[in-house]
Short mmCIF file of all heavy atoms in Angstrom, two decimals:
data_model
loop_
_atom_site.label_atom_id
_atom_site.label_comp_id
_atom_site.label_asym_id
_atom_site.label_seq_id
_atom_site.Cartn_x
_atom_site.Cartn_y
_atom_site.Cartn_z
N VAL W 4 -7.53 -11.63 -3.99
CA VAL W 4 -8.25 -12.41 -2.98
C VAL W 4 -9.74 -12.21 -3.23
O VAL W 4 -10.20 -11.08 -3.40
CB VAL W 4 -7.88 -11.94 -1.56
CG1 VAL W 4 -8.76 -12.61 -0.52
CG2 VAL W 4 -6.41 -12.22 -1.29
N PHE W 34 -5.97 -13.56 7.29
CA PHE W 34 -6.46 -12.75 8.39
C PHE W 34 -7.95 -12.46 8.17
O PHE W 34 -8.39 -12.26 7.04
CB PHE W 34 -5.72 -11.41 8.44
CG PHE W 34 -4.22 -11.53 8.58
CD1 PHE W 34 -3.43 -11.69 7.46
CD2 PHE W 34 -3.62 -11.48 9.83
CE1 PHE W 34 -2.04 -11.80 7.59
CE2 PHE W 34 -2.24 -11.59 9.96
CZ PHE W 34 -1.46 -11.76 8.84
N GLN W 38 -15.50 -5.02 10.23
CA GLN W 38 -15.57 -3.57 10.07
C GLN W 38 -17.00 -3.10 10.26
O GLN W 38 -17.89 -3.47 9.49
CB GLN W 38 -15.05 -3.15 8.69
CG GLN W 38 -14.96 -1.65 8.50
CD GLN W 38 -14.39 -1.28 7.12
OE1 GLN W 38 -14.62 -1.96 6.14
NE2 GLN W 38 -13.66 -0.16 7.07
N SER W 43 -12.94 1.54 11.61
CA SER W 43 -11.77 0.91 11.03
C SER W 43 -11.90 -0.61 11.06
O SER W 43 -12.85 -1.16 11.61
CB SER W 43 -10.52 1.36 11.77
OG SER W 43 -9.36 0.86 11.14
N ALA W 97 -1.69 -13.41 2.91
CA ALA W 97 -0.29 -12.99 2.81
C ALA W 97 0.56 -14.23 2.58
O ALA W 97 0.26 -15.31 3.09
CB ALA W 97 0.16 -12.26 4.06
N GLY W 99 4.24 -15.54 3.24
CA GLY W 99 5.45 -15.23 3.98
C GLY W 99 5.30 -13.89 4.67
O GLY W 99 4.27 -13.59 5.26
N GLU W 102 3.29 -8.33 1.80
CA GLU W 102 2.13 -7.53 2.17
C GLU W 102 0.86 -8.37 2.14
O GLU W 102 0.78 -9.42 1.52
CB GLU W 102 1.98 -6.36 1.20
CG GLU W 102 1.60 -6.77 -0.21
CD GLU W 102 1.43 -5.58 -1.14
OE1 GLU W 102 2.44 -5.16 -1.72
OE2 GLU W 102 0.29 -5.11 -1.26
N GLN W 103 -0.15 -7.85 2.83
CA GLN W 103 -1.46 -8.48 2.84
C GLN W 103 -2.26 -8.00 1.63
O GLN W 103 -2.23 -6.82 1.28
CB GLN W 103 -2.22 -8.11 4.11
CG GLN W 103 -1.66 -8.74 5.36
CD GLN W 103 -2.50 -8.44 6.57
OE1 GLN W 103 -3.73 -8.33 6.49
NE2 GLN W 103 -1.87 -8.30 7.72
N PHE W 105 -6.16 -7.84 0.25
CA PHE W 105 -7.48 -7.87 0.86
C PHE W 105 -8.57 -8.32 -0.11
O PHE W 105 -8.53 -8.02 -1.31
CB PHE W 105 -7.84 -6.48 1.40
CG PHE W 105 -7.06 -6.13 2.64
CD1 PHE W 105 -5.78 -5.64 2.56
CD2 PHE W 105 -7.63 -6.33 3.89
CE1 PHE W 105 -5.05 -5.34 3.70
CE2 PHE W 105 -6.91 -6.04 5.04
CZ PHE W 105 -5.61 -5.55 4.94
N TYR H 36 -2.84 2.39 3.60
CA TYR H 36 -3.79 1.70 2.75
C TYR H 36 -4.88 2.69 2.34
O TYR H 36 -5.22 3.60 3.10
CB TYR H 36 -4.43 0.52 3.47
CG TYR H 36 -3.56 -0.72 3.53
CD1 TYR H 36 -2.58 -0.85 4.52
CD2 TYR H 36 -3.70 -1.74 2.60
CE1 TYR H 36 -1.77 -1.98 4.57
CE2 TYR H 36 -2.90 -2.87 2.64
CZ TYR H 36 -1.94 -2.98 3.62
OH TYR H 36 -1.14 -4.10 3.68
N ARG H 43 -12.16 -2.53 -2.70
CA ARG H 43 -11.48 -3.17 -1.58
C ARG H 43 -10.30 -2.34 -1.12
O ARG H 43 -9.83 -1.44 -1.81
CB ARG H 43 -11.00 -4.56 -1.99
CG ARG H 43 -9.85 -4.56 -3.00
CD ARG H 43 -9.53 -5.96 -3.44
NE ARG H 43 -10.61 -6.52 -4.24
CZ ARG H 43 -10.74 -7.82 -4.51
NH1 ARG H 43 -9.86 -8.68 -4.04
NH2 ARG H 43 -11.73 -8.26 -5.24
N LEU H 46 -3.06 -1.48 -0.84
CA LEU H 46 -1.86 -0.84 -0.34
C LEU H 46 -1.52 0.38 -1.19
O LEU H 46 -1.49 0.31 -2.42
CB LEU H 46 -0.69 -1.83 -0.37
CG LEU H 46 0.66 -1.30 0.12
CD1 LEU H 46 0.61 -0.99 1.60
CD2 LEU H 46 1.76 -2.32 -0.18
N TYR H 86 -6.13 4.56 5.52
CA TYR H 86 -5.81 3.90 6.78
C TYR H 86 -4.30 3.77 6.93
O TYR H 86 -3.62 3.28 6.03
CB TYR H 86 -6.42 2.50 6.85
CG TYR H 86 -7.92 2.46 6.87
CD1 TYR H 86 -8.65 2.27 5.71
CD2 TYR H 86 -8.62 2.61 8.07
CE1 TYR H 86 -10.03 2.23 5.73
CE2 TYR H 86 -10.00 2.57 8.10
CZ TYR H 86 -10.70 2.37 6.94
OH TYR H 86 -12.07 2.34 6.96
N GLY H 92 7.71 -6.46 14.06
CA GLY H 92 8.59 -7.53 13.62
C GLY H 92 8.25 -8.88 14.20
O GLY H 92 8.34 -9.90 13.52
N GLY H 95 4.98 -11.14 12.77
CA GLY H 95 4.88 -11.53 11.37
C GLY H 95 4.36 -10.38 10.56
O GLY H 95 4.82 -9.25 10.70
N ASN H 96 3.40 -10.64 9.71
CA ASN H 96 2.85 -9.56 8.91
C ASN H 96 1.47 -9.13 9.40
O ASN H 96 0.68 -8.59 8.65
CB ASN H 96 2.81 -9.94 7.43
CG ASN H 96 2.28 -11.33 7.23
OD1 ASN H 96 1.67 -11.91 8.13
ND2 ASN H 96 2.51 -11.89 6.07
N MET H 97 1.17 -9.36 10.67
CA MET H 97 -0.09 -8.90 11.24
C MET H 97 -0.10 -7.38 11.27
O MET H 97 0.89 -6.74 11.62
CB MET H 97 -0.24 -9.43 12.65
CG MET H 97 -1.60 -9.17 13.26
SD MET H 97 -1.71 -9.77 14.94
CE MET H 97 -1.02 -8.40 15.83
N LEU H 98 -1.23 -6.79 10.89
CA LEU H 98 -1.36 -5.35 10.82
C LEU H 98 -2.26 -4.81 11.92
O LEU H 98 -3.29 -5.40 12.24
CB LEU H 98 -1.95 -4.92 9.48
CG LEU H 98 -1.07 -5.12 8.24
CD1 LEU H 98 -1.89 -4.88 6.98
CD2 LEU H 98 0.12 -4.18 8.28
N GLY H 101 -5.06 2.08 12.05
CA GLY H 101 -5.60 3.28 12.67
C GLY H 101 -7.08 3.39 12.36
O GLY H 101 -7.63 2.57 11.62
#
Side-chain angles (χ1 to χ4, degrees):
Chain W
V4 173
F34 302 86
Q38 186 178 33
S43 186
E102 68 179 87
Q103 290 185 34
F105 287 82
Chain H
Y36 281 83
R43 70 185 68 196
L46 180 66
Y86 294 96
N96 45 16
M97 188 182 85
L98 291 170

